[in-house]
Amino acid sequence: MKKIEAIIRKSKYRVVKEALHEVGVNFFSYWDVTGLGNEKEGHVYRGVSYSTSDIQRRYLSIVVNDDFAEKTIQTIISSAGTGEVGDGKIFVSDVQECYRIRTGEKGGDTLK
């Protein structure tokens, strides 16, 4: 199993969520997060300077079986991308085991 963690623009969340549902990813967790980016300049709007180094993003955490990881990753890339700096990052790591609390069963079938 793979854990896919994606940090995406908040404005792209709905598109990503719908795309993931279309390919069969029906469960994941998400958080609103703030991070630091590479952009060092601020923006001025109506005479008020705003820092753009603190970036509002959405953090997705998805666990899928190994054979479904690449499809999930490509779905996130195609639906979250704008082609601009700041589209986000995806991190992939191995999951040793998964348990369904209700039944106590373990393994990849618990993800279905």
Side-chain angles (χ1 to χ4, degrees), residues 48-64:
V48 178
S49 180
Y50 295 93
S51 170
T52 55
S53 63
D54 295 333
I55 303 169
Q56 298 294 311
R57 294 288 185 254
R58 190 143 288 167
Y59 180 98
L60 310 178
S61 178
I62 308 164
V63 178
V64 296

PDB file of all heavy atoms in Angstrom, residues 48-64:
ATOM      1  N   VAL A  48      -2.437  48.344   0.704  1.00  0.00           N
ATOM      2  CA  VAL A  48      -2.061  47.494   1.826  1.00  0.00           C
ATOM      3  C   VAL A  48      -1.149  46.393   1.303  1.00  0.00           C
ATOM      4  O   VAL A  48      -1.480  45.708   0.333  1.00  0.00           O
ATOM      5  CB  VAL A  48      -3.301  46.878   2.501  1.00  0.00           C
ATOM      6  CG1 VAL A  48      -2.892  45.953   3.638  1.00  0.00           C
ATOM      7  CG2 VAL A  48      -4.240  47.961   3.001  1.00  0.00           C
ATOM      8  N   SER A  49       0.000  46.213   1.950  1.00  0.00           N
ATOM      9  CA  SER A  49       0.957  45.187   1.548  1.00  0.00           C
ATOM     10  C   SER A  49       0.608  43.866   2.218  1.00  0.00           C
ATOM     11  O   SER A  49       0.365  43.813   3.428  1.00  0.00           O
ATOM     12  CB  SER A  49       2.374  45.608   1.945  1.00  0.00           C
ATOM     13  OG  SER A  49       3.295  44.620   1.569  1.00  0.00           O
ATOM     14  N   TYR A  50       0.563  42.794   1.408  1.00  0.00           N
ATOM     15  CA  TYR A  50       0.271  41.457   1.907  1.00  0.00           C
ATOM     16  C   TYR A  50       1.459  40.559   1.654  1.00  0.00           C
ATOM     17  O   TYR A  50       2.036  40.567   0.579  1.00  0.00           O
ATOM     18  CB  TYR A  50      -0.953  40.864   1.198  1.00  0.00           C
ATOM     19  CG  TYR A  50      -2.235  41.601   1.483  1.00  0.00           C
ATOM     20  CD1 TYR A  50      -2.677  42.621   0.652  1.00  0.00           C
ATOM     21  CD2 TYR A  50      -2.989  41.274   2.591  1.00  0.00           C
ATOM     22  CE1 TYR A  50      -3.843  43.300   0.907  1.00  0.00           C
ATOM     23  CE2 TYR A  50      -4.165  41.945   2.863  1.00  0.00           C
ATOM     24  CZ  TYR A  50      -4.590  42.953   2.016  1.00  0.00           C
ATOM     25  OH  TYR A  50      -5.747  43.627   2.285  1.00  0.00           O
ATOM     26  N   SER A  51       1.792  39.750   2.660  1.00  0.00           N
ATOM     27  CA  SER A  51       2.872  38.784   2.500  1.00  0.00           C
ATOM     28  C   SER A  51       2.369  37.620   1.661  1.00  0.00           C
ATOM     29  O   SER A  51       1.283  37.089   1.908  1.00  0.00           O
ATOM     30  CB  SER A  51       3.328  38.264   3.864  1.00  0.00           C
ATOM     31  OG  SER A  51       4.201  37.174   3.703  1.00  0.00           O
ATOM     32  N   THR A  52       3.150  37.220   0.689  1.00  0.00           N
ATOM     33  CA  THR A  52       2.779  36.050  -0.105  1.00  0.00           C
ATOM     34  C   THR A  52       3.704  34.878   0.187  1.00  0.00           C
ATOM     35  O   THR A  52       3.631  33.853  -0.478  1.00  0.00           O
ATOM     36  CB  THR A  52       2.826  36.379  -1.614  1.00  0.00           C
ATOM     37  OG1 THR A  52       4.120  36.877  -1.933  1.00  0.00           O
ATOM     38  CG2 THR A  52       1.761  37.374  -1.972  1.00  0.00           C
ATOM     39  N   SER A  53       4.582  35.022   1.189  1.00  0.00           N
ATOM     40  CA  SER A  53       5.439  33.894   1.535  1.00  0.00           C
ATOM     41  C   SER A  53       4.683  32.871   2.382  1.00  0.00           C
ATOM     42  O   SER A  53       5.015  31.702   2.389  1.00  0.00           O
ATOM     43  CB  SER A  53       6.700  34.370   2.265  1.00  0.00           C
ATOM     44  OG  SER A  53       6.352  34.994   3.483  1.00  0.00           O
ATOM     45  N   ASP A  54       3.653  33.316   3.115  1.00  0.00           N
ATOM     46  CA  ASP A  54       2.787  32.390   3.839  1.00  0.00           C
ATOM     47  C   ASP A  54       1.645  32.019   2.905  1.00  0.00           C
ATOM     48  O   ASP A  54       0.803  32.836   2.571  1.00  0.00           O
ATOM     49  CB  ASP A  54       2.221  33.041   5.098  1.00  0.00           C
ATOM     50  CG  ASP A  54       3.299  33.365   6.121  1.00  0.00           C
ATOM     51  OD1 ASP A  54       4.331  32.680   6.113  1.00  0.00           O
ATOM     52  OD2 ASP A  54       3.088  34.295   6.908  1.00  0.00           O
ATOM     53  N   ILE A  55       1.622  30.752   2.496  1.00  0.00           N
ATOM     54  CA  ILE A  55       0.718  30.323   1.439  1.00  0.00           C
ATOM     55  C   ILE A  55      -0.351  29.401   2.012  1.00  0.00           C
ATOM     56  O   ILE A  55      -0.049  28.418   2.681  1.00  0.00           O
ATOM     57  CB  ILE A  55       1.505  29.588   0.334  1.00  0.00           C
ATOM     58  CG1 ILE A  55       2.607  30.490  -0.209  1.00  0.00           C
ATOM     59  CG2 ILE A  55       0.578  29.120  -0.771  1.00  0.00           C
ATOM     60  CD1 ILE A  55       3.596  29.770  -1.093  1.00  0.00           C
ATOM     61  N   GLN A  56      -1.616  29.703   1.753  1.00  0.00           N
ATOM     62  CA  GLN A  56      -2.734  28.855   2.164  1.00  0.00           C
ATOM     63  C   GLN A  56      -2.884  27.709   1.164  1.00  0.00           C
ATOM     64  O   GLN A  56      -2.993  27.942  -0.032  1.00  0.00           O
ATOM     65  CB  GLN A  56      -4.026  29.672   2.217  1.00  0.00           C
ATOM     66  CG  GLN A  56      -3.980  30.803   3.214  1.00  0.00           C
ATOM     67  CD  GLN A  56      -3.888  30.290   4.636  1.00  0.00           C
ATOM     68  OE1 GLN A  56      -4.643  29.416   5.033  1.00  0.00           O
ATOM     69  NE2 GLN A  56      -2.950  30.822   5.392  1.00  0.00           N
ATOM     70  N   ARG A  57      -2.884  26.493   1.673  1.00  0.00           N
ATOM     71  CA  ARG A  57      -2.999  25.314   0.825  1.00  0.00           C
ATOM     72  C   ARG A  57      -3.918  24.295   1.481  1.00  0.00           C
ATOM     73  O   ARG A  57      -4.298  24.426   2.632  1.00  0.00           O
ATOM     74  CB  ARG A  57      -1.621  24.661   0.590  1.00  0.00           C
ATOM     75  CG  ARG A  57      -0.655  25.527  -0.207  1.00  0.00           C
ATOM     76  CD  ARG A  57      -1.096  25.584  -1.654  1.00  0.00           C
ATOM     77  NE  ARG A  57      -0.151  26.306  -2.461  1.00  0.00           N
ATOM     78  CZ  ARG A  57      -0.341  27.517  -2.939  1.00  0.00           C
ATOM     79  NH1 ARG A  57      -1.437  28.163  -2.660  1.00  0.00           N
ATOM     80  NH2 ARG A  57       0.547  28.098  -3.690  1.00  0.00           N
ATOM     81  N   ARG A  58      -4.234  23.251   0.745  1.00  0.00           N
ATOM     82  CA  ARG A  58      -4.993  22.130   1.271  1.00  0.00           C
ATOM     83  C   ARG A  58      -4.089  20.905   1.189  1.00  0.00           C
ATOM     84  O   ARG A  58      -3.444  20.653   0.179  1.00  0.00           O
ATOM     85  CB  ARG A  58      -6.265  21.919   0.458  1.00  0.00           C
ATOM     86  CG  ARG A  58      -7.170  20.923   1.139  1.00  0.00           C
ATOM     87  CD  ARG A  58      -8.618  21.243   1.023  1.00  0.00           C
ATOM     88  NE  ARG A  58      -9.005  22.385   1.835  1.00  0.00           N
ATOM     89  CZ  ARG A  58     -10.169  22.996   1.706  1.00  0.00           C
ATOM     90  NH1 ARG A  58     -11.037  22.596   0.814  1.00  0.00           N
ATOM     91  NH2 ARG A  58     -10.483  24.003   2.470  1.00  0.00           N
ATOM     92  N   TYR A  59      -4.064  20.142   2.278  1.00  0.00           N
ATOM     93  CA  TYR A  59      -3.215  18.959   2.412  1.00  0.00           C
ATOM     94  C   TYR A  59      -4.111  17.727   2.338  1.00  0.00           C
ATOM     95  O   TYR A  59      -5.040  17.591   3.136  1.00  0.00           O
ATOM     96  CB  TYR A  59      -2.500  19.038   3.759  1.00  0.00           C
ATOM     97  CG  TYR A  59      -1.573  17.900   4.071  1.00  0.00           C
ATOM     98  CD1 TYR A  59      -0.211  18.028   3.849  1.00  0.00           C
ATOM     99  CD2 TYR A  59      -2.041  16.710   4.609  1.00  0.00           C
ATOM    100  CE1 TYR A  59       0.650  16.989   4.152  1.00  0.00           C
ATOM    101  CE2 TYR A  59      -1.190  15.679   4.907  1.00  0.00           C
ATOM    102  CZ  TYR A  59       0.156  15.829   4.683  1.00  0.00           C
ATOM    103  OH  TYR A  59       1.011  14.798   4.974  1.00  0.00           O
ATOM    104  N   LEU A  60      -3.857  16.853   1.377  1.00  0.00           N
ATOM    105  CA  LEU A  60      -4.631  15.629   1.203  1.00  0.00           C
ATOM    106  C   LEU A  60      -3.803  14.435   1.639  1.00  0.00           C
ATOM    107  O   LEU A  60      -2.606  14.353   1.331  1.00  0.00           O
ATOM    108  CB  LEU A  60      -5.022  15.426  -0.260  1.00  0.00           C
ATOM    109  CG  LEU A  60      -5.665  16.586  -1.009  1.00  0.00           C
ATOM    110  CD1 LEU A  60      -5.934  16.195  -2.446  1.00  0.00           C
ATOM    111  CD2 LEU A  60      -6.934  17.024  -0.318  1.00  0.00           C
ATOM    112  N   SER A  61      -4.417  13.501   2.317  1.00  0.00           N
ATOM    113  CA  SER A  61      -3.771  12.260   2.719  1.00  0.00           C
ATOM    114  C   SER A  61      -4.615  11.107   2.205  1.00  0.00           C
ATOM    115  O   SER A  61      -5.786  10.963   2.584  1.00  0.00           O
ATOM    116  CB  SER A  61      -3.648  12.196   4.242  1.00  0.00           C
ATOM    117  OG  SER A  61      -3.064  10.972   4.639  1.00  0.00           O
ATOM    118  N   ILE A  62      -4.029  10.295   1.324  1.00  0.00           N
ATOM    119  CA  ILE A  62      -4.756   9.227   0.642  1.00  0.00           C
ATOM    120  C   ILE A  62      -3.939   7.944   0.752  1.00  0.00           C
ATOM    121  O   ILE A  62      -2.743   7.948   0.472  1.00  0.00           O
ATOM    122  CB  ILE A  62      -4.943   9.567  -0.855  1.00  0.00           C
ATOM    123  CG1 ILE A  62      -5.561  10.950  -1.026  1.00  0.00           C
ATOM    124  CG2 ILE A  62      -5.759   8.496  -1.560  1.00  0.00           C
ATOM    125  CD1 ILE A  62      -5.418  11.512  -2.429  1.00  0.00           C
ATOM    126  N   VAL A  63      -4.575   6.840   1.132  1.00  0.00           N
ATOM    127  CA  VAL A  63      -3.904   5.540   1.149  1.00  0.00           C
ATOM    128  C   VAL A  63      -4.589   4.658   0.113  1.00  0.00           C
ATOM    129  O   VAL A  63      -5.813   4.522   0.121  1.00  0.00           O
ATOM    130  CB  VAL A  63      -3.943   4.894   2.545  1.00  0.00           C
ATOM    131  CG1 VAL A  63      -3.281   3.514   2.517  1.00  0.00           C
ATOM    132  CG2 VAL A  63      -3.256   5.783   3.574  1.00  0.00           C
ATOM    133  N   VAL A  64      -3.779   4.099  -0.797  1.00  0.00           N
ATOM    134  CA  VAL A  64      -4.308   3.245  -1.866  1.00  0.00           C
ATOM    135  C   VAL A  64      -3.443   1.996  -1.984  1.00  0.00           C
ATOM    136  O   VAL A  64      -2.306   1.960  -1.520  1.00  0.00           O
ATOM    137  CB  VAL A  64      -4.338   3.977  -3.233  1.00  0.00           C
ATOM    138  CG1 VAL A  64      -5.286   5.161  -3.194  1.00  0.00           C
ATOM    139  CG2 VAL A  64      -2.952   4.414  -3.662  1.00  0.00           C
TER     140      VAL A  64
END
